[in-house]
Amino acid sequence: MKKTAYFSLLFVAISNIIFAQSIDDTFSQKKMRKDLEVFKNIRLKANSGLYKYRSEAQIDSIYLWAEKEIDKSSTYLDFYNIICQLTDFEGSLHNDTGLPERYVKNLKRESYGYFPYPIKWIDGKWIINYENNEIPLGSEIIEINGVPISEVVLNLYKYYTTDGQNITGKRIGIRTHFSRYYRFNYGQEEKFQVSFKKHTSNLEEKKTIKSVGYSEYYKRFNNRYSKAFDQIYYVDLKADEKYKYEKIDSLTGVLTVYTFSMGNETTEEHQTYLAFLDSIFSKIKTENIKHLIVDIRQNGGGTDPNDLVTYSYLTQRNFQENKQAWISFKKVPYLKYTYTKIPRFLRPLGVGKYNKMFQEDFYLAKGNRFYQGPLSDDHKIREPNKNAFTGNSYLLISPAVASAGSLFAAMVSGNENTRVIGEETMGGYYGHNGHTPLGYILPKSKIETFFSVVNLEQDVPKKGNQIYNRGIIPDYEVSQNYEDYINQKDTQMDFVLDLIKSKATE
């Protein structure tokens, strides 16, 4: 028994040594070039969003950059960073590139090398978002290891994708994963020399602080100063926590929808949401509410048709989910690289139902594009609900708004009776790539890459303040200021309530 136990322990120890893989390990340029070729071919064949925000010349240029970058690269991390840059350059928030699980497990075991404190974007500055004895809470970061924080952050943008050339949404990723992204781009550091300014001080100070491990950073993030204010974005909400309505006064109400992840027509959760909307908007109509605040600042998307049903209570026009939608293939290409547990020789059978679905829905061939037909539910003309709100609506948005959340926000912001308050969303106004995700695994590195294949043009009017390659631009740009950050106050909600009061006195 003892010999067996010793042998088992020895086997586990040897296995950990052999199979534990670090992103800093060497990785041959030959393998990099093979995977780059596969990655590019998959994008060209399967990704309808490849040229949504970039010209062919721009895409060709960045792949030439990638090829030259490989000439200077020697590690797995070098190659991962190249693929992240390519993934981000396309401009789709549904793009994602990730490490294989064995590399992720090794990262989680790292005991040093990570910047020790969460940071947050407040008043146009990156500040320390953690109470500690080294750098005071709220201090503005000027430099880390001699590199201006603006340059540091710019180099980290590639790890968090957004629609078009939006950058406000990237701050969501950086406030969460700053330390991990820094480690990806700059490697592990024993210490960090930080230049900073305390709030209200013009004196630049410097302090050298020790790094922490992966787990310790995330422990500190989970105890960040702003947690009481922004934790709702990170919570796995229960069904009865995903939306609410509150009456502020006799003329004003607030509808908050944290997510559209409430199932589809076949689920009980969706039916419960429909009943909630019907009850609330009947009440709003009966009580003659004049001002309705619609708060979707934490809404990162969800499932159709929850977004569309909600919009039917906020519009006076007939509408459809999108004006057009298309994909760039008739059959799912490069099956041998697809992200699936189905053995390679069985994949043509397993993918059959998806190909059938694509061919039934996207049957109008125009060149190399396959468009949705007019009978698709996405093109169905929908009518306003009989209890649709007709007063003044105020839409609260933030950089966290994405996917179905940004589709909904774009449609509401196109209404004549709506004013939009907050910060630019990470999801686009005019369209996005969404609905159906595909995943692939690169053969040599096993890097995992995902993207959504349906190129959508949303049913929204053209507006002078909305830019094609950006998120939804608010009519009133309002973000949390420093004093409200310290006091955990809602700057944007206070602004909209003041706006309603000012309208009442006009």
Side-chain angles (χ1 to χ4, degrees):
M1 290 291 289
K2 286 184 179 180
K3 286 184 179 179
T4 303
Y6 290 148
F7 178 79
S8 298
L9 289 172
L10 181 62
F11 178 77
V12 170
I14 293 173
S15 296
N16 284 338
I17 293 170
I18 292 175
F19 296 111
Q21 291 181 287
S22 168
I23 57 176
D24 300 312
D25 288 346
T26 57
F27 191 68
S28 76
Q29 293 180 355
K30 182 179 179 180
K31 290 180 178 179
M32 292 184 196
R33 290 192 179 93
K34 171 61 177 177
D35 275 7
L36 178 63
E37 179 186 14
V38 171
F39 182 87
K40 181 179 180 180
N41 288 338
I42 287 170
R43 282 351 229 212
L44 289 169
K45 188 67 176 176
N47 188 2
S48 64
L50 185 62
Y51 301 119
K52 192 175 186 74
Y53 299 110
R54 302 293 187 180
S55 67
E56 287 191 41
Q58 287 175 315
I59 294 296
D60 289 344
S61 178
I62 197 168
Y63 276 96
L64 285 174
W65 165 85
E67 289 168 7
K68 292 177 181 177
E69 202 68 16
I70 285 176
D71 292 335
K72 302 182 291 183
S73 300
S74 61
T75 69
Y76 189 94
L77 180 57
D78 290 337
F79 183 64
Y80 176 72
N81 283 333
I82 291 170
I83 295 299
C84 284
Q85 190 72 62
L86 295 172
T87 303
D88 178 57
F89 188 75
E90 293 171 6
S92 173
L93 65 85
H94 288 112
N95 281 6
D96 190 32
T97 286
L99 295 165
E101 183 61 27
R102 62 182 181 273
Y103 287 95
V104 174
K105 286 181 178 178
N106 195 59
L107 281 174
K108 290 180 178 179
R109 287 194 289 263
E110 291 182 336
S111 59
Y112 79 97
Y114 290 77
F115 190 82
Y117 302 123
I119 68 175
K120 190 169 185 176
W121 179 258
I122 295 290
D123 272 349
K125 301 170 184 176
W126 287 104
I127 66 169
I128 296 293
N129 188 25
Y130 188 82
E131 293 184 282
N132 65 94
N133 296 320
E134 293 184 307
I135 302 176
L137 172 72
S139 294
E140 176 191 359
I141 302 173
I142 308 298
E143 289 182 348
I144 298 178
N145 289 348
V147 181
I149 188 64
S150 57
E151 183 180 335
V152 170
V153 168
L154 185 63
N155 286 329
L156 306 190
Y157 280 166
K158 61 179 171 284
Y159 301 115
Y160 197 86
T161 59
T162 57
D163 279 349
Q165 296 178 42
N166 165 266
I167 61 170
T168 60
K170 292 179 180 295
R171 295 173 190 150
I172 298 292
I174 289 172
R175 81 180 185 191
T176 308
H177 304 294
F178 175 75
S179 192
R180 175 153 59 100
Y181 292 167
Y182 189 101
R183 187 263 186 269
F184 284 165
N185 194 79
Y186 294 98
Q188 286 177 282
E189 301 279 1
E190 290 277 3
K191 297 178 180 179
F192 300 91
Q193 186 180 70
V194 184
S195 299
F196 63 94
K197 291 180 182 178
K198 296 174 184 174
H199 185 62
T200 71
S201 172
N202 289 321
L203 178 64
E204 186 172 322
E205 302 180 48
K206 292 189 177 183
K207 183 161 286 190
T208 300
I209 57 178
K210 293 178 67 174
S211 69
V212 297
Y214 180 102
S215 297
E216 178 61 25
Y217 167 74
Y218 282 103
K219 185 186 298 183
R220 294 184 181 193
F221 177 77
N222 288 328
N223 288 293
R224 65 197 178 280
Y225 180 78
S226 64
K227 182 175 181 177
F229 183 80
D230 56 29
Q231 179 64 5
I232 191 70
Y233 181 73
Y234 301 95
V235 174
D236 186 12
L237 296 168
K238 297 178 182 177
D240 60 354
E241 297 173 331
K242 295 178 180 180
Y243 47 85
K244 63 182 180 180
Y245 174 77
E246 179 184 4
K247 188 175 179 182
I248 300 295
D249 57 39
S250 61
L251 298 176
T252 308
V254 180
L255 172 66
T256 304
V257 186
Y258 293 116
T259 177
F260 287 124
S261 294
M262 295 170 263
N264 58 26
E265 295 94 335
T266 65
T267 66
E268 183 179 344
E269 188 175 359
H270 171 76
Q271 298 301 324
T272 301
Y273 181 59
L274 292 187
F276 164 80
L277 289 174
D278 185 63
S279 172
I280 289 304
F281 279 92
S282 294
K283 189 175 182 180
I284 287 171
K285 190 173 186 178
T286 300
E287 295 181 349
N288 200 25
I289 295 295
K290 299 295 185 184
H291 305 282
L292 180 62
I293 302 167
V294 181
D295 186 357
I296 59 162
R297 286 175 291 174
Q298 309 302 332
N299 196 315
T303 317
D304 287 339
N306 298 299
D307 49 352
L308 304 173
V309 172
T310 310
Y311 180 65
S312 73
Y313 284 91
L314 294 165
T315 187
Q316 282 75 58
R317 71 176 178 99
N318 292 343
F319 64 97
Q320 53 193 147
E321 179 167 359
N322 58 65
K323 292 179 180 179
Q324 69 172 22
W326 60 275
I327 61 176
S328 57
F329 56 84
K330 194 171 184 179
K331 293 183 178 180
V332 176
Y334 296 102
L335 285 184
K336 64 181 178 179
Y337 302 127
T338 50
Y339 184 92
T340 177
K341 294 181 180 179
I342 299 174
R344 186 178 294 183
F345 72 94
L346 290 176
R347 289 178 193 179
L349 299 175
V351 82
K353 66 176 183 178
Y354 293 103
N355 284 334
K356 184 179 180 182
M357 177 192 73
F358 285 133
Q359 290 163 14
E360 288 178 350
D361 205 17
F362 299 89
Y363 61 84
L364 294 178
K366 298 179 184 178
N368 294 322
R369 297 180 177 184
F370 300 89
Y371 286 83
Q372 263 181 340
L375 299 181
S376 167
D377 273 354
D378 292 355
H379 297 308
K380 181 175 72 175
I381 302 300
R382 301 170 184 265
E383 298 180 349
N385 189 277
K386 64 181 180 180
N387 290 321
F389 182 69
T390 58
N392 299 310
S393 66
Y394 307 84
L395 181 68
L396 283 173
I397 60 172
S398 82
V401 176
S403 195
S406 55
L407 167 65
F408 171 80
M411 297 177 83
V412 174
S413 65
N415 292 345
E416 292 285 340
N417 66 335
T418 299
R419 294 294 174 266
V420 185
I421 298 96
E423 301 169 86
E424 179 185 345
T425 65
M426 77 168 82
Y429 176 80
Y430 289 104
H432 68 283
N433 258 62
H435 283 199
T436 308
L438 274 187
Y440 289 90
I441 299 176
L442 302 184
K444 301 301 181 183
S445 63
K446 305 303 179 184
I447 287 173
E448 301 165 358
T449 183
F450 302 86
F451 52 90
S452 288
V453 299
V454 184
N455 193 317
L456 306 165
E457 181 185 343
Q458 293 167 183
D459 182 16
V460 295
K462 288 187 177 180
K463 293 183 69 176
N465 69 327
Q466 301 299 338
I467 304 166
Y468 176 70
N469 64 351
R470 294 274 298 279
I472 299 160
I473 310 297
D475 299 311
Y476 300 92
E477 187 172 346
V478 182
S479 56
Q480 190 181 44
N481 58 46
Y482 184 86
E483 287 71 25
D484 287 352
Y485 160 76
I486 291 296
N487 295 310
Q488 305 284 13
K489 292 181 61 178
D490 192 338
T491 309
Q492 294 161 338
M493 184 62 78
D494 288 347
F495 179 91
V496 73
L497 291 174
D498 288 342
L499 183 63
I500 291 171
K501 288 177 184 178
S502 69
K503 287 187 175 294
T505 58
E506 288 179 358

